Amino acid sequence: MKKLVLFVAAVSMLAACTTPGKRTAWGAAGGAAVGAVAGAVISHNTGGKSETGAIIGALSGAAAGGLLGNYYDKQAKELAAIADVVKGPNGIQVYLKNDILFSTGSSELSADSLQTLSDLNRVLKKYPKNRIVVQGYTDSTGGDAINQKLSTARAKAVYDYLLGSGLKTLSIKYVGFGASNPVASNDTAEGRAANRRVVLAITANEKDLQ
């Protein structure tokens, strides 16, 4: 057991040092740890040596974690040149301001938004293993029924544009959240502007990348 713990730590450190990007490093290290434990359990259940199972499991886990981390890292870097991007342990979020995409109270894409969406689609086409949810949000002005309808219509407008421009991906859908989940205070003009947004939530599955 002591050897197993020491080996997991060693592989985790190696993964963090040899893979570029903070997210990739953690992905590889996490994969190694999970893989090592799984390998030890499998080896024990089949009558083998736990150390051997841990080595096999850790190496395969590191490779899988690093693969997904690399996929997120590379894509996030390209998307960040176009829009605000937040990269987390479970994927990427791309923030598009409604003030750029739409006129006040409208769900029709503005002429100024088309270049941004065209650039966005150009990058997304390079990553056909994505699973994308286009999320629409509003500020708190207006009633809930109006905000829900408007946020859904705006999310659908972006969704329609991406598909209409030839995007090929594993899955894509849209949803409106109205004024829920604000990212800033609705008490100020700046806060309300930040809350009016369309977010592309992007995830992927390790199995699809192998």
Side-chain angles (χ1 to χ4, degrees):
M1 187 62 185
K2 182 178 180 180
K3 291 181 180 179
L4 173 58
V5 172
L6 290 174
F7 182 79
V8 171
V11 173
S12 298
M13 291 174 64
L14 178 63
C17 293
T18 57
T19 51
K22 185 176 180 181
R23 171 66 187 95
T24 306
W26 281 107
V34 173
V37 174
V41 171
I42 292 173
S43 181
H44 178 270
N45 290 340
T46 56
K49 294 183 178 180
S50 62
E51 292 89 346
T52 303
I55 291 172
I56 296 173
L59 293 179
S60 62
L67 185 64
L68 183 58
N70 257 329
Y71 183 82
Y72 285 148
D73 282 344
K74 184 178 179 182
Q75 185 173 184
K77 184 177 180 179
E78 293 189 63
L79 292 170
I82 303 167
D84 293 333
V85 173
V86 175
K87 184 180 58 175
N90 298 315
I92 303 168
Q93 289 189 318
V94 181
Y95 287 79
L96 303 171
K97 295 180 180 179
N98 278 353
D99 291 353
I100 296 175
L101 298 176
F102 310 101
S103 300
T104 302
S106 173
S107 60
E108 182 177 351
L109 290 169
S110 68
D112 293 339
S113 72
L114 300 184
Q115 185 60 57
T116 297
L117 292 177
S118 177
D119 291 341
L120 187 68
N121 211 21
R122 172 178 49 79
V123 173
L124 294 176
K125 286 179 180 179
K126 299 179 183 180
Y127 301 91
K129 303 301 183 181
N130 282 344
R131 301 173 187 273
I132 304 173
V133 180
V134 184
Q135 305 170 343
Y137 297 90
T138 67
D139 60 31
S140 63
T141 58
D144 290 342
I146 293 175
N147 287 334
Q148 181 62 46
K149 183 178 180 179
L150 183 59
S151 67
T152 301
R154 287 177 166 176
K156 185 178 186 300
V158 174
Y159 165 91
D160 287 342
Y161 179 89
L162 295 176
L163 287 183
S165 298
L167 178 63
K168 303 295 182 182
T169 187
L170 282 184
S171 69
I172 182 170
K173 58 184 179 180
Y174 66 90
V175 60
F177 290 99
S180 63
N181 303 320
V183 295
S185 172
N186 279 300
D187 294 332
T188 66
E190 293 80 6
R192 290 190 295 273
N195 290 333
R196 296 189 297 267
R197 67 199 188 277
V198 171
V199 179
L200 270 62
I202 301 172
T203 58
N205 191 314
E206 286 180 356
K207 294 180 180 179
D208 295 326
L209 305 179
Q210 296 174 349

